[in-house]
Amino acid sequence: MAGNKKKSSPDLSSLASKTLRDEDASKIQKRLAGSVLSQASKDKQTGADLEDIASKALKSDKYSDTTKTLAGSVLSQSNKKR
């Protein structure tokens, strides 16, 4: 499977880094942030399991704007064929 050509922007990478260092960040925020950072400079794409988590986060009213921003970035780098 070919890697995705999209990469996380510097602003999103910065947000992800801050999220990972934030003791109050939720588990889902940290998972999404880790994915955003892993896609910052390499030819990686989101796995199916994280695509599902990110999709559910975007559809739910219970998640913060930060979570939804990270989720949107993760989904933008997903495998479009899935």
Side-chain angles (χ1 to χ4, degrees), residues 17-43:
S17 178
K18 289 176 187 172
T19 300
L20 287 172
R21 291 190 309 260
D22 183 353
E23 293 178 9
D24 295 326
S26 68
K27 184 176 179 180
I28 191 166
Q29 281 180 327
K30 290 191 179 207
R31 267 193 88 182
L32 294 168
S35 181
V36 169
L37 279 182
S38 75
Q39 297 168 347
S41 62
K42 299 186 178 163
D43 239 8

Side-chain angles (χ1 to χ4, degrees), residues 6-9 12-13 32 35-37 39 46 54 58 67-78:
K6 294 181 182 179
K7 295 180 182 177
S8 301
S9 72
L12 278 170
S13 295
L32 294 168
S35 181
V36 169
L37 279 182
Q39 297 168 347
T46 304
L58 282 175
T67 302
K68 289 186 177 204
T69 298
L70 294 168
S73 177
V74 165
L75 285 177
S76 76
Q77 297 176 56
S78 65

